[in-house]
Amino acid sequence: MGHSAVVWDHRAAIEITKDWNGVDQVVLRNPHGASARVSLHGGQVTSWRNEQGEELLFTSTKAIFKPPKAMRGGIQICFPQFGNCGLLEQHGFARNKIWAIDDNPPPLHPNDSDGKSFIDLMLKPSEEDLKFWPHSFEFRLRVSLTADGDLTFISRVRNINGKPFSFSFAYHSYLSVSDISEVRIEGLETLDYLDNLCQRERFTEQGDAITFESEVDRIYLGSPKVIAVLDHEKKRTYVIKKEGLPDVVVWNPWEKKSKSMVDFGDEEYKQMLCVDGAAVERSITLKPGEEWMGRLELSVVPSSFCSDHFDIRRRDF
Ligand code: BG6
């Protein structure tokens, strides 16, 4: 993995190493042994471990760790589009680019720094990007690990163009689950969704919590700020809090699609679920000089704690 330089924050450490392709990656640690790894390839989080060292994000055993494509797993930044239309590549170019470490980001609230181990990254369009998407922007991404082991993201996109532009966005998050048939999502029931399996036709969710028994590829619209993904077998719950991101994409490829993906194992759909904080249905428009911010916070709590003490519908971010 090459040499490494250790820079100590007052309570936590940031370590910069090279990945298998010689691209810098940043390991964030908290004082209790939790960690997260962020690659400058795509600004992608490729690992998030709790204090016990358990991996909380899914990475395919068939993942291809070779630029320019993003590897299958972790958390990918989808920008300036989510999905596949026009000249841009599927889910936009941001996840396929090499980001830079941002040494001097514009200030954030002290709460976004205090007690956290974090890294600031930046993406600007290349000449090549401007051919396909002719809009100048600065994308600043902060990835943090809190003292409690939560993983948080702050994305700031600024228009430095002479004209307005629009984009869509998602934190494409591969959660690791014990068995997809034991998983349910709470917080999306009764919402409208666009079904990617039916040319984005609009439907309304009927049931209680969302469970899985076949391929799902949906964009839930106008979702609450907090949703929960309950894993019965593991007795743990992912709590997803978001701001500036009205939609939630839910994806599991199931059996047939899994077999068609070269970088995904035939049976791996059982161990993963993508639940993405996103802004897809209505694109975000920025006038010259304007900035958009989208936040995501992921935490993991024991499921018993969740059902006894934690009503997600009443919680605010
Ligand atoms: C999901 C989309 O979020 O990502 C799916 O809703 C898509 O339609 C999936 O197949 C994986 O996309 P990709 O480009 O990473 O293979």
Side-chain angles (χ1 to χ4, degrees), residues 1 15 18 32 46 96 107 161 189 209 214 249 269 284 314:
M1 287 269 158
E15 190 183 357
K18 299 274 182 208
H32 311 293
T46 53
N96 300 331
N161 227 6
E189 47 279 7
S214 60
V249 181
Y269 71 93
I284 292 149
R314 281 195 245 122

Side-chain angles (χ1 to χ4, degrees), residues 286-299:
L286 291 178
K287 294 191 192 119
E290 273 186 344
E291 185 176 84
W292 166 84
M293 191 188 276
R295 291 166 172 267
L296 187 78
E297 182 183 312
L298 297 178
S299 50

Side-chain angles (χ1 to χ4, degrees), residues 42 44 54 63 66 84 98 113 125 128 164 194 213 222 229 294 297:
Q44 185 172 0
E54 284 172 296
K66 201 166 180 231
N84 193 0
I98 304 294
S113 311
E128 195 60 22
L194 307 180
E213 48 195 27
V229 180
E297 182 183 312

